[in-house]
Amino acid sequence: MVLQGQTALISGASKGIGRAIALAYAEEGADLAVTGRAEDDRKGLRDAVVPMGVKCEVIGADLAEDGAALAVYTAAWDALGPIDIMVNNAGIGSSANPKPVVDYDDDFWNLLLFVNLTVPYLFCKLVLPDMMERQHGRIINVASINGKIGSLHGAAYAASKHGLLGLTRTLAMEVMTDG
């Protein structure tokens, strides 16, 4: 129970990697604030972790909407208090609209970069002040191999994951002495 007494906010937790992270954290005793778009999946996750003896606040949100990150953070804080662990997992993949750069859909580009890069940046800005004041906290940004290599017909995804690695490295340099 190495995470007992800690609270994790996990974006994109209703399915896949995010769900697996949430289940693992709950098994280690962390209380959870989870968000995702699929209501049934969010509720199913809560039903799976509450018997483990942890709290689980499920927060419906479409992180592509302006203000959603703040609304999720506020709901998590109001329900569970300070966030000890922030997992930025929500994302959109290029497979939703694969095209070469010359034909890329600009609206999809903007959407993908917003969800995959801007939303993690916003969550980091929201959780950091309290983490720095308490000199305790962890931020985990989920990237991809495409954060290191390109992706045929997936320019926005590769750019967003390269950017996320850059954000993560810069953030680590900025706060490494703040606990």
Side-chain angles (χ1 to χ4, degrees):
M1 302 299 276
V2 296
L3 298 178
Q4 193 162 16
Q6 296 191 52
T7 298
L9 171 54
I10 306 168
S11 70
S14 56
K15 296 181 181 182
I17 293 170
R19 180 181 174 83
I21 292 169
L23 290 169
Y25 282 16
E27 288 174 1
E28 291 298 333
D31 291 328
L32 306 175
V34 297
T35 188
R37 291 181 297 161
E39 182 176 357
D40 290 343
D41 292 333
R42 288 191 315 266
K43 289 179 181 178
L45 176 59
R46 181 183 57 214
D47 292 345
V49 301
V50 168
M52 296 179 195
V54 301
K55 297 175 188 169
C56 184
E57 181 71 14
V58 295
I59 306 163
D62 181 349
L63 293 175
E65 296 177 4
D66 285 334
L70 176 59
V72 167
Y73 171 77
T74 301
W77 179 276
D78 289 348
L80 301 171
I83 306 302
D84 300 290
I85 305 164
M86 176 73 232
V87 180
N88 285 303
N89 175 68
I92 299 171
S94 287
S95 62
N97 193 2
K99 292 182 179 163
V101 171
V102 71
D103 297 323
Y104 217 83
D105 179 284
D106 294 344
D107 290 335
F108 184 68
W109 171 277
N110 291 330
L111 171 67
L112 196 145
L113 262 70
F114 184 79
V115 172
N116 291 9
L117 181 56
T118 302
V119 167
Y121 156 78
L122 294 171
F123 274 130
C124 289
K125 281 185 71 171
L126 289 164
V127 300
L128 271 171
D130 181 67
M131 287 179 173
M132 291 169 67
E133 183 177 315
R134 292 183 295 127
Q135 293 194 337
H136 174 78
R138 302 292 180 265
I139 297 173
I140 299 163
N141 293 324
V142 178
S144 161
I145 188 64
N146 291 121
K148 295 184 176 252
I149 62 172
S151 175
L152 183 64
H153 297 168
Y157 184 76
S160 73
K161 295 305 179 176
H162 274 78
L164 189 59
L165 290 180
L167 170 66
T168 303
R169 290 176 179 133
T170 299
L171 185 58
M173 290 170 55
E174 292 178 356
V175 301
M176 68 181 167
T177 60
D178 294 316

